[in-house]
Amino acid sequence: MGKYLPIIVTADCGSLTRAGKILGYAQPNMGSIVTRFENELGVKLFHRSQHGVTLTETGEKLVEIMRQIDDMEDYLQEVVTRTRKERFRVGVFQSVATQWMPQVMEEFFRTYPDTVFQLEYLSRELDDETGVRENTLDCAFFRGTNFPQGMQHVPLLTEPFYLLVPAGSPLAAAPSLSLMAVAGNYPYIHNSETFDWEEPYKDIRQKLMERDIIKISSPEDSTVISLVAQGLGVSLLPRLSLAGITPAHQVKAVPLDDAPTRTISLLFPKKAEQSSLTTVFLTLLQQRVAAWERDQGSTLP
C-alpha cells in the first residue's frame, strides 16, 4: 500500500469511517493517520464535520499530486522487486531485539545467507500496524490484544509487569506488592514499554501518573534501570525487559499481586501479501521464544 493511499481513499470516500473499513483501520486510527500527515506537511488537508470530511482547497491540489506519486511508487516497487537483493524487514522494540533476535537471525542466515535482514525500531504507537499496512515492514512485533483488522497475528508470549525499585528501598524486601497500594505514593518513571495497557488497568495507570516525574519517549530499558538504581523513583517493566539485569545494577524486581500483563505477537499481512520469508521467520521465532522461556525459569534480579 502506497504511503498516501489513506489520504487518497479518505478523499474519495468523504468519510474516515468508510475509508477505515476499506483499508482495515478502526476509525480512531484513521483519524490519527490523517492528522499525522497534516502535521508532517504543515497544512490542513480536510475539513471535518459530523457528516464526514471534505478536502480543503490546498488538500484538493495535494491529493492530485499524491495520486501521481502513488502510481509512480507502484511502478517503482515493481522494478525494485525484480532487481534488488531480497530484503526482510522486521519491526522490533528493544526487549525483543535484545532477547530473541540475535539467535533467530543466526539460524535464519544459515539457510538464507544472502538476504538483507533489516531491523526497524518501533518508537511510536501504531508504527507496527502502519509499517505492515504500508509495506515498509514484512512483519512487526505487536504489543497488546486489540489486533488490527485485515492482518494475521500469532501470539508469542504473555508476560507480567514487575515493580522495579532501588535495591536499598524498603519495597525491595517485600515478597510481593499491590500495585494499587504503591501507585501514587512513589515517584514514577514512565517509559513507552507501558503505553499499550488496556482495561482493567487504566485506573492504576492514572494513579501512577499522579507521581509521574520522568518520561522516556522510547523504550530504553537500560536508562530506566539506571534511573531506578539511582533512587529517582520506581518503574514498571515486563519480564522480557528484566532478563539482562544483574545484581550489579542495584535494583530489585518485585512481583505484583495485581500485575498488569502484556501479550507480544507477530503481526504480518494476509497470505497473498506476505513475504515468502515470513513463515520461515515465524517458525524460528516460535522456537526461540520457547527456548527463552525454558532458560529463564523464575529467576529475577
Side-chain angles (χ1 to χ4, degrees):
M1 181 169 68
K3 175 181 178 181
Y4 296 112
L5 191 58
I7 302 299
I8 295 169
V9 174
T10 299
D12 291 341
C13 292
S15 164
L16 290 169
T17 301
R18 287 197 294 274
K21 288 181 179 179
I22 291 173
L23 298 174
Y25 287 107
Q27 192 273 343
N29 291 351
M30 278 300 300
S32 298
I33 292 168
V34 169
T35 299
R36 175 163 60 86
F37 272 102
E38 290 179 327
N39 290 339
E40 289 178 357
L41 294 171
V43 297
K44 190 174 181 62
L45 298 173
F46 294 98
H47 296 297
R48 293 169 171 81
S49 71
Q50 294 180 340
H51 304 293
V53 297
T54 56
L55 286 168
T56 63
E57 183 177 349
T58 300
E60 289 180 356
K61 296 176 182 178
L62 294 181
V63 166
E64 288 307 310
I65 297 173
M66 290 177 187
R67 293 184 195 277
Q68 297 173 31
I69 293 173
D70 192 66
D71 290 341
M72 290 302 297
E73 284 184 345
D74 288 344
Y75 176 68
L76 177 64
Q77 285 300 320
E78 288 180 16
V79 175
V80 169
T81 299
R82 291 195 298 265
T83 58
R84 72 181 181 186
K85 179 184 284 190
E86 191 160 16
R87 184 180 302 268
F88 189 63
R89 304 152 301 174
V90 183
V92 299
F93 46 94
Q94 184 183 10
S95 53
V96 300
T98 302
Q99 297 298 324
W100 295 344
M101 294 308 298
Q103 294 83 356
V104 171
M105 292 170 68
E106 180 183 19
E107 290 297 324
F108 185 93
F109 284 127
R110 293 184 190 206
T111 306
Y112 300 97
D114 295 327
T115 299
V116 176
F117 203 112
Q118 184 171 328
L119 297 181
E120 296 284 347
Y121 274 80
L122 306 171
S123 59
R124 299 177 301 176
E125 194 168 2
L126 297 181
D127 275 1
D128 40 20
E129 177 181 348
T130 303
V132 174
R133 285 195 188 281
E134 295 182 354
N135 195 35
T136 59
L137 296 173
D138 293 293
C139 58
F141 289 92
F142 185 88
R143 291 168 286 192
T145 55
N146 188 22
F147 299 109
Q149 298 177 352
M151 299 188 207
Q152 296 188 78
H153 64 271
V154 174
L156 299 166
L157 178 71
T158 297
E159 58 174 357
F161 282 85
Y162 291 81
L163 186 69
L164 197 68
V165 303
S169 165
L171 296 174
S176 66
L177 292 166
S178 166
L179 180 56
M180 184 56 86
V182 173
N185 295 316
Y186 291 87
Y188 178 61
I189 299 169
H190 172 75
N191 83 327
S192 59
E193 284 279 15
T194 59
F195 74 70
D196 54 345
W197 283 15
E198 300 168 3
E199 296 293 353
Y201 299 106
K202 296 290 179 68
D203 291 341
I204 295 178
R205 182 176 184 178
Q206 184 59 41
K207 288 203 70 176
L208 287 169
M209 296 308 169
E210 292 173 6
R211 297 294 307 277
D212 185 357
I213 62 164
I214 299 174
K215 289 186 178 181
I216 303 174
S217 60
S218 63
E220 291 290 341
D221 300 335
S222 58
T223 303
V224 173
I225 294 164
S226 296
L227 292 172
V228 172
Q230 195 65 29
L232 293 174
V234 301
S235 190
L236 288 166
L237 284 179
R239 182 68 182 87
L240 193 63
S241 299
L242 298 171
I245 299 179
T246 67
H249 285 94
Q250 297 298 304
V251 292
K252 175 72 174 178
V254 182
L256 294 164
D257 299 325
D258 47 0
T261 61
R262 73 169 181 180
T263 298
I264 301 174
S265 304
L266 190 69
L267 189 69
F268 48 96
K270 292 292 188 181
K271 189 74 174 178
E273 302 174 4
Q274 68 180 244
S275 163
S276 60
L277 298 175
T278 300
T279 301
V280 176
F281 175 71
L282 176 59
T283 300
L284 295 175
L285 179 61
Q286 289 173 312
Q287 293 171 355
R288 171 57 189 153
V289 173
W292 181 87
E293 289 190 276
R294 289 194 305 268
D295 294 342
Q296 291 301 310
S298 59
T299 57
L300 280 172

